[in-house]
Amino acid sequence: MNQREFAELAAGHALGALSADDERSFEAALVAHPEWAAVAESDLAVVARLADMVDEVPPPQTVKTALFARLDAAPDAVDGAGAVGGTRAAAGTGAADVTGSADVMGASDVADALPPADAADSATAARPDVGARPDASSRRATRETPRRGGRAARTWFALAASIALLLGVGVGVTSLVQSLTRPASVVALERIEDAPDAQTAEAQIEGGGEATLHWSPSLGEAVLVSDGLPTLAGDQTFELWYVRGDTAISAGTFDASSASTTAVLEPGIQPGDAVAMTVEPAGGSPTGAPTTDPIVVISTA
């Protein structure tokens, strides 16, 4: 078994949908190649995280019907381990496996993802022992016959499992991708705004413009949204400060590619602090204290 074949089995194992034979092959491969364990652990972690991000919803019958119809019509997808039956079990045992996310994939999308019907019909015609849609008793008999086309069956299983996973966690994947690709400042601002003790204060920027400070004492976090910042030279940067009594504590530096920007301050804001912004040499103040007069000061008291 190569690593690609193991990865297919690891995906099925994470979904809890391997046949008994494939489960034994998966476990044997882990013993023979302990260095592949990270692949299986990663699949388990992804499935667990994504499953937690969506509510359980009954699967739409149209999607299941379209998927199963194409799988039943593909001879190579039927083997002794019950690839068709196993896929039905994988896709139908829980709402977390296939959920009604119409915005992600519908019945027509599933049909498009599977082989054309005429290809399946041609294969079926060439093998008269395989009907277009066997009844329940013939399916049971099929599952009791020796394995056929193991590699092709695993490929079919991987496809069906992937479709089930996409349907079941499509909304969760979208949310995850969005959360990972959004700027850190946007995520921090939303977190502060959702806090029960979220507060805001505004002040004018020297030379025009306005700055709004958003903070949460319970989180100890703050974000400064500025509009109308002055244009700096290439060897200058903006630096933020927590002014606590007579002491100024650096809260980080930032550069602005436009007059409007959102900057996240270093964690640690305390009740009564003022937040100030100065213009410093690139890299921040060389002394650890402001070297110029602030262009804006916002009090949190």
Side-chain angles (χ1 to χ4, degrees):
M1 179 184 297
N2 58 38
Q3 190 168 0
R4 180 177 178 180
E5 291 172 325
F6 175 80
E8 293 176 359
L9 292 178
H13 175 77
L15 290 166
L18 288 182
S19 67
D21 286 346
D22 278 347
E23 186 67 35
R24 284 191 289 270
S25 297
F26 169 77
E27 294 173 355
L30 270 182
V31 173
H33 299 278
E35 69 275 13
W36 291 351
V39 176
E41 292 170 359
S42 176
D43 285 348
L44 287 169
V46 169
V47 170
R49 183 173 183 183
L50 295 179
D52 288 341
M53 296 177 68
V54 295
D55 297 327
E56 293 188 357
V57 179
Q61 187 60 40
T62 54
V63 173
K64 294 174 64 177
T65 300
L67 175 61
F68 295 152
R70 286 299 181 87
L71 290 175
D72 288 346
D76 288 338
V78 182
D79 63 18
V84 171
T87 302
R88 286 182 180 272
T93 52
D97 295 320
V98 181
T99 59
S101 179
D103 291 337
V104 178
M105 183 178 291
S108 61
D109 299 311
V110 174
D112 291 341
L114 296 171
D118 55 354
D121 293 341
S122 299
T124 302
R127 295 179 57 182
D129 58 310
V130 180
R133 188 172 181 84
D135 57 23
S137 61
S138 63
R139 288 198 187 98
R140 286 195 296 271
T142 299
R143 288 196 290 270
E144 294 169 359
T145 60
R147 171 178 293 276
R148 293 178 291 168
R151 172 63 177 167
R154 278 199 296 271
T155 300
W156 267 107
F157 165 76
L159 174 60
S162 298
I163 292 172
L165 184 60
L166 284 172
L167 287 169
V169 300
V171 175
V173 171
T174 301
S175 300
L176 177 60
V177 171
Q178 289 176 344
S179 67
L180 292 176
T181 57
R182 286 183 303 167
S185 58
V186 174
V187 175
L189 182 57
E190 290 182 356
R191 186 167 56 246
I192 291 172
E193 291 177 336
D194 289 340
D197 59 347
Q199 300 181 54
T200 63
E202 299 177 352
Q204 295 297 310
I205 297 174
E206 183 180 322
E210 187 174 75
T212 302
L213 180 67
H214 301 257
W215 78 97
S216 164
S218 62
L219 296 177
E221 298 180 1
V223 169
L224 186 69
V225 180
S226 304
D227 183 33
L229 289 171
T231 301
L232 300 184
D235 58 351
Q236 294 178 314
T237 190
F238 295 106
E239 187 159 3
L240 297 168
W241 306 86
Y242 291 129
V243 181
R244 195 167 298 157
D246 295 331
T247 304
I249 305 167
S250 178
T253 63
F254 71 94
D255 296 318
S257 57
S258 64
S260 301
T261 189
T262 301
V264 180
L265 284 74
E266 292 291 336
I269 189 169
Q270 296 182 7
D273 284 352
V275 170
M277 183 194 305
T278 61
V279 176
E280 302 291 344
S285 169
T287 65
T291 62
T292 63
D293 293 334
I295 60 174
V296 64
V297 177
I298 302 177
S299 175
T300 66

